[in-house]
Amino acid sequence: MAEPVREELSALAAIFCGPDEWEVLSLSETDGAMFRILTKAEGITDTDIPLQLVFHLPLSYPSCLPGIVVNSNHLTRAQCEIVKEKLLEQAETLLSEPMVHELVLWIQQNLRHILEHPEAGGGGEKCSSAASMTVDDGLWMTLLHLDHMRAKAKYVRTVEKWASDLRLTGRLMFMGKIILILLQGDRNDIKVPKRLMWNVNLAIFC
């Protein structure tokens, strides 16, 4: 992992030092870093809305967009998707520099506007556009957010078989009600097949 990324993680840990504000989920020399930030932002009714932001920083970060998952018990799934899309749009303006803290500050300042004007979110097409970005045609990564998992053991075995069939490596992570799958592989293999899209929201390809 590059030293600038380690420095960014150390700075984030110092900034988000309140109870449960910061948690490192994964640190790897091959998969990069994944962590969770809990923050709040003003909503439409002038009340603070708790936001859980999961970031995945691939090895090519910050030349590549981070993976982002947005979750909040106070927002609908559609609203979380719009917030994520807006964060990725903002991230595109910050490429090649540390951006996570800037993104958190930006959503704290702009969440109300985004919720008041959801039509400006850009819809699924924008999500697909961001998902196709990569720095080269070699190793790709994707972060998937599963809505739910009814039969955990059976589902895990099925995902492991599909990943093996597709020559992918990855990691399955459980964070309370949030379920994430991180996959890594060749560009031609990492395209998420329809069978993996059951109950899955695409977060970001990189």
Side-chain angles (χ1 to χ4, degrees):
M1 189 179 303
E3 187 61 29
V5 175
R6 292 187 181 276
E7 292 176 357
E8 182 177 6
L9 294 178
S10 296
L12 291 170
I15 294 169
F16 300 103
C17 58
D20 298 323
E21 281 188 339
W22 166 263
E23 180 183 6
V24 175
L25 304 175
S26 174
L27 277 178
S28 169
E29 295 298 331
T30 56
D31 298 336
M34 185 178 295
F35 51 88
R36 173 184 58 79
I37 292 175
L38 291 182
T39 187
K40 294 181 179 180
E42 183 180 319
I44 296 176
T45 60
D46 295 326
T47 58
D48 286 341
I49 294 178
L51 295 174
Q52 183 169 242
L53 307 175
V54 177
F55 291 90
H56 170 236
L57 308 185
L59 295 183
S60 52
Y61 171 88
S63 299
C64 175
L65 293 178
I68 302 175
V69 172
V70 178
N71 189 62
S72 175
N73 291 332
H74 297 262
L75 300 177
T76 66
R77 185 187 307 169
Q79 287 174 322
C80 287
E81 284 297 301
I82 291 173
V83 172
K84 182 195 71 179
E85 291 169 16
K86 282 299 186 180
L87 281 168
L88 289 172
E89 289 178 9
Q90 184 66 16
E92 289 179 1
T93 70
L94 301 170
L95 285 173
S96 300
E97 61 183 82
M99 67 179 75
V100 174
H101 186 230
E102 290 295 325
L103 291 176
V104 176
L105 291 178
W106 184 86
I107 199 59
Q108 289 173 341
Q109 298 166 3
N110 291 277
L111 179 65
R112 177 169 182 159
H113 176 76
I114 292 171
L115 297 179
E116 288 177 338
H117 305 280
E119 69 281 357
E125 291 183 2
K126 187 63 182 181
C127 182
S128 297
S129 173
S132 65
M133 295 187 66
T134 183
V135 293
D136 55 48
D137 291 335
L139 199 62
W140 274 41
M141 285 188 184
T142 182
L143 180 63
L144 302 175
H145 175 205
L146 276 67
D147 289 342
H148 60 274
M149 185 180 292
R150 291 191 179 93
K152 179 179 176 181
K154 182 178 179 180
Y155 201 106
V156 168
R157 288 195 301 270
T158 302
V159 171
E160 288 176 345
K161 183 180 184 304
W162 286 343
S164 177
D165 292 345
L166 293 167
R167 297 176 297 176
L168 303 176
T169 59
R171 183 170 300 171
L172 186 61
M173 290 162 286
F174 296 89
M175 300 163 44
K177 295 182 179 180
I178 298 178
I179 308 170
L180 302 175
I181 299 179
L182 178 65
L183 295 173
Q184 176 178 289
D186 184 81
R187 177 178 182 177
N188 294 327
D189 297 326
I190 201 70
K191 301 284 183 66
V192 180
K194 291 182 179 179
R195 56 185 176 177
L196 270 180
M197 292 307 291
W198 298 341
N199 307 322
V200 170
N201 288 327
L202 178 62
I204 182 67
F205 275 99
C206 194

